[in-house]
Amino acid sequence: MATTVRRAVLTLPAAATGPENPLPALRPLDEMHVVDDRDRADLPRDMARQIGHEPLATVLPVAVLDGYGRERTATDLNVIVIENDRLRATVLPGFGGRIHSLFHKPTGRDLVYVNPVLQPADFALNGAWFSGGIEWNIGATGHTTLSCAPVHAALVPAPDGGEMVRLWEWERLRDLPFQVDLWLPDDSDFLHVGVRIRNPHEHSAPVYWWSNIAVAEDERTRVVAPAEEAWHFGYERTLTRVPVPESGSVDRTYPLRSDFPADYFYEVPDGARRWIASLDENGHGLVQTSTDVLRGRKLFLWGSGPGGRRWQEWLTEPGTAGYAEIQAGLARTQLEHVPLEPGGEFSWLESYGPLSADPAAVHGDDWSAARAETEQRLAAALPRADVDAAYEAWRRCADTEPGESLATGSGWGALEVRRAGYKLPGTPFAASTLGEQQAPWLELLEQGTFPEPRRVAPPGPSLVSSHWRDMLETASAEPLTEYHLGIAQWHADDRAQAVRSWERGLALAPSRWPLLRCLAVAAQESGQGERAADHYTQAFDDLCGERDDGDTWTAATAALGREAIEALLTAGRPGPARTVWDGLLPEIRHRGRFRLLEARLLIAEGDRAAARTLFDEGFEVADLREGAEILDEVWADLTGDEPLPDAYNYRMRPRT
């Protein structure tokens, strides 16, 4: 059959991602992939330089997504299906353009791990993320903020005269447009993926990219890559060079042989072909290869310990097969960001398909033989020259304007194109995509003033780049303008000026709690715990006096209430913390995150028996952060040396 592209509906048990958190993300990133500055001295110079290259301090201007739960209902998801007589790729344009499945028809196998549910969890830079399939991570170290966001999608003529699917969006952490072209030639066993990231600015931009492929695992699944060494990163936050395949007398290329979750970034030699494969006990599985620009390869494993197993159940559901992740990136490790010159671009082509190799060689004791066998089978199935030729053919189509629209993303790209007049052939950001969130910023751009709200409501999203900060500084100093200006100044690390802007806005603001909350965070970040507690108390009181019905107000109440209680407990004020607790809506108090917060409050009040009852009754913290140890800490505070129950064990590193 000729390659076809069609729209379809996929029904999955899914938990809704919920509304955006209305509070701006002023706090530092809670990202696990960080190394101490002192540890960089022993790293290769280019790696050390790129690890220190413009790391993000916050996820501004992106909103945090933390309003999801654990209740799943059958949900219809719009998908794009790309299919020939060999492969069928199912794409989720409403969730970052992720490939949900890659089904190989001749063998009847899915080449990637297909999650049977869509369950958000707190792994993305801005919160909600889900596991499975192939995802496109752009922006900064971690899972992309587009994990649970829509992207634009349309049909584009393919290099072979057929059709391919273009996905594109404006990545807001770095203000960069990017595209992902999915091309499945007729009769091909390999899906080609052309990627391009452009820098339309007059300044250099730090770039991050990792394609993340979830693959099913069992005791006999082995990950093979063309390397004899790797950089190991564990949740102890250390980066060390280790031999491959064995480290500490354990063969780490079998994901289930490790106890704790870990990353292995393979040291692929210069000039070697870029590829990585996951092969089962019979030598069958998935291989990913690319042109040389995409230099990095990685294995992430959950390990066989109780914490890793619990996380797997949490992200999928009990009784389903486990998975590991094989990845490909622009740098050797995910801790690095690569500079992209003004007006420049990065582009490459990836290929995904089935691979069958001799199981005796793949699973033998000779690692070099396992690598050689896998690479020879890859060379027979898809020669390196064919990948390079496919890249050149695709590159000639990269600027082709899209045809029939298949899905619509955000309006932020259209706003930036309107502001700067960027010419971006192949990735149009149409004015028709401008929406309610962009409307006040469009008025600031065209009228020079930021509109005051027509009704009392939580403030909308802020923009923080230098262009928008300049416009806010020259606009009339109205309270809402001062609020957004302070956020932009905070993002630029001008903390003192941000506080002054918020204080000026507070003097005349009809709605005071958003500004008070910003001042509370500023006080907390500067070590003024008592001042922060005072601001939080007043902010929550003011919010309760203003709030109305609706999801946005509920989200604001939950977010501000949680921050206020945590700040008051830190300041040793359980009484005022209890007052805030009483002001929360009943539906908020019953959420798992707030059950844990209630246990902390009860401990502070001296009622340890009631806190223990909460744990015994059971609760689930839906937005538990990757690597978080808060459950361990509260349990230890409550019980001393009593072992943590398995239901609460998400530990990702050994105890020290």
Side-chain angles (χ1 to χ4, degrees):
M1 63 179 288
T3 300
T4 62
V5 178
R6 58 186 169 87
R7 282 179 281 196
V9 174
L10 173 68
T11 302
L12 286 179
T17 54
E20 293 181 344
N21 186 325
L23 307 185
L26 301 176
R27 286 192 172 80
L29 282 174
D30 186 12
E31 169 53 41
M32 298 301 299
H33 291 82
V34 178
V35 294
D36 191 282
D37 288 345
R38 293 170 295 182
D39 294 335
R40 295 184 196 172
D42 298 327
L43 300 177
R45 294 181 65 181
D46 62 331
M47 182 187 294
R49 182 171 58 251
Q50 291 183 166
I51 287 176
H53 182 59
E54 296 190 37
L56 285 182
T58 74
V59 296
L60 288 170
V62 179
V64 170
L65 285 174
D66 59 3
Y68 50 86
R70 299 282 301 170
E71 294 183 4
R72 298 191 286 263
T73 58
T75 304
D76 290 340
L77 305 172
N78 293 323
V79 298
I80 301 169
V81 179
I82 310 167
E83 185 171 15
N84 65 10
D85 60 352
R86 311 289 295 176
L87 281 180
R88 181 171 63 246
T90 303
V91 183
L92 294 168
F95 293 85
R98 182 181 304 218
I99 295 177
H100 179 255
S101 69
L102 187 61
F103 185 76
H104 187 233
K105 296 179 181 181
T107 59
R109 293 186 295 112
D110 216 302
L111 301 180
V112 300
Y113 172 75
V114 179
N115 197 332
V117 302
L118 198 161
Q119 176 57 60
D122 194 2
F123 277 68
L125 285 162
N126 64 327
W129 172 86
F130 65 102
S131 63
I134 306 172
E135 63 173 318
W136 320 112
N137 289 303
I138 181 174
T141 301
H143 291 284
T144 177
T145 61
L146 294 166
S147 294
C148 292
V151 297
H152 302 284
L155 292 177
V156 180
D160 59 358
E163 291 181 323
M164 66 181 177
V165 173
R166 175 162 300 159
L167 310 169
W168 74 98
E169 247 303 348
W170 192 276
E171 200 288 310
R172 301 179 66 209
L173 295 180
R174 302 301 193 181
D175 263 342
L176 299 176
F178 73 98
Q179 71 189 74
V180 177
D181 288 355
L182 307 176
W183 169 31
L184 180 58
D186 292 351
D187 302 320
S188 175
D189 274 314
F190 283 84
L191 175 71
H192 295 318
V193 180
V195 182
R196 177 167 63 166
I197 303 170
R198 286 184 276 192
N199 178 12
H201 306 296
E202 296 178 353
H203 57 80
S204 175
V207 174
Y208 172 94
W209 181 279
W210 282 81
S211 302
N212 182 5
I213 310 120
V215 289
E217 65 172 5
D218 58 30
E219 289 79 4
R220 291 286 291 165
T221 298
R222 192 177 206 185
V223 172
V224 188
E228 296 181 352
E229 291 184 309
W231 294 92
H232 167 263
F233 183 86
Y235 285 79
E236 304 88 346
R237 301 193 180 193
T238 57
L239 187 65
T240 54
R241 193 193 296 258
V242 298
V244 177
E246 288 191 5
S247 174
S249 75
V250 176
D251 189 333
R252 309 289 178 175
T253 62
Y254 291 90
L256 285 176
R257 295 186 184 178
S258 292
D259 292 328
F260 288 94
D263 297 324
Y264 290 90
F265 300 102
Y266 294 112
E267 188 70 70
V268 180
D270 290 342
R273 186 175 184 181
R274 270 62 170 150
W275 58 269
I276 189 168
S278 175
L279 303 175
D280 65 17
E281 63 180 337
N282 298 312
H284 304 312
L286 169 85
V287 66
Q288 187 269 4
T289 187
S290 71
T291 49
D292 289 352
V293 167
L294 203 66
R295 66 174 296 187
R297 292 299 184 274
K298 170 196 166 182
L299 162 65
F300 168 76
L301 52 85
W302 286 106
S304 58
R309 293 298 95 193
R310 183 72 180 110
W311 270 119
Q312 293 244 31
E313 294 176 349
W314 186 252
L315 295 170
T316 58
E317 58 183 9
T320 56
Y323 74 94
E325 293 172 354
I326 57 175
Q327 303 189 21
L330 278 176
R332 277 183 288 188
T333 74
Q334 288 177 325
L335 288 72
E336 302 170 67
H337 298 86
V338 183
L340 178 58
E341 63 186 14
E345 66 177 53
F346 291 135
S347 64
W348 63 90
L349 185 122
E350 308 177 42
S351 299
Y352 296 81
L355 194 72
S356 292
D358 178 5
V362 168
H363 297 288
D365 294 332
D366 187 340
W367 174 242
S368 62
R371 295 193 335 256
E373 165 66 11
T374 306
E375 186 150 12
Q376 288 168 9
R377 296 298 182 116
L378 171 60
L382 185 66
R384 186 175 187 176
D386 287 3
V387 175
D388 292 338
Y391 168 74
E392 294 299 331
W394 164 75
R395 193 63 187 80
R396 292 191 290 270
C397 300
D399 284 349
T400 302
E401 290 303 314
E404 178 187 348
S405 175
L406 301 174
T408 303
S410 78
W412 295 112
L415 183 65
E416 292 301 325
V417 168
R418 176 76 68 90
R419 179 191 63 77
Y422 296 129
K423 303 300 181 184
L424 300 167
T427 55
F429 293 94
S432 60
T433 62
L434 292 165
E436 182 179 355
Q437 289 192 329
Q438 293 81 41
W441 297 96
L442 187 60
E443 185 168 332
L444 174 64
L445 175 64
E446 296 183 342
Q447 306 297 328
T449 58
F450 197 92
E452 287 297 302
R454 295 174 183 160
R455 56 185 173 83
V456 175
S462 297
L463 294 179
V464 296
S465 67
S466 59
H467 315 285
W468 296 105
R469 187 173 71 247
D470 290 345
M471 281 183 263
L472 289 166
E473 286 175 346
T474 57
S476 299
E478 302 297 332
L480 188 56
T481 305
E482 297 287 4
Y483 165 82
H484 288 297
L485 175 58
I487 294 169
Q489 291 164 333
W490 182 269
H491 176 264
D493 204 28
D494 191 351
R495 302 295 174 87
Q497 191 58 55
V499 169
R500 284 192 285 271
S501 294
W502 291 327
E503 288 176 341
R504 284 197 305 269
L506 188 64
L508 298 173
S511 181
R512 293 167 51 85
W513 66 264
L515 291 151
L516 285 166
R517 183 265 176 176
C518 291
L519 291 168
V521 174
Q524 210 165 34
E525 290 297 308
S526 62
Q528 302 175 67
E530 295 291 334
R531 185 177 180 84
D534 289 341
H535 284 320
Y536 269 122
T537 299
Q538 189 175 356
F540 192 76
D541 285 346
D542 286 3
L543 181 146
C544 290
E546 290 183 9
R547 70 184 178 197
D548 203 342
D549 296 331
D551 290 343
T552 303
W553 280 111
T554 300
T557 302
L560 184 58
R562 173 183 167 184
E563 289 187 10
I565 292 172
E566 290 176 341
L568 289 163
L569 290 177
T570 300
R573 299 187 191 179
R578 173 61 66 180
T579 300
V580 173
W581 174 266
D582 292 339
L584 295 172
L585 302 171
E587 67 174 274
I588 295 173
R589 291 200 294 263
H590 285 101
R591 297 176 186 174
R593 168 63 66 179
F594 288 86
R595 300 280 279 176
L596 175 61
L597 194 54
E598 184 184 12
R600 295 172 59 191
L601 177 55
L602 288 166
I603 293 171
E605 292 172 332
D607 194 348
R608 308 180 79 82
R612 176 59 186 261
T613 298
L614 286 176
F615 273 89
D616 291 343
E617 290 174 347
F619 56 83
E620 295 180 324
V621 182
D623 61 333
L624 187 68
R625 183 67 175 165
E626 174 190 12
E629 297 177 358
I630 184 66
L631 286 166
D632 307 61
E633 294 163 1
V634 176
W635 179 259
D637 187 16
L638 181 61
T639 68
D641 296 332
E642 191 171 331
L644 182 69
D646 289 343
Y648 301 115
N649 186 359
Y650 296 87
R651 192 165 190 87
M652 301 182 79
R653 61 174 180 163
R655 297 185 184 278
T656 56

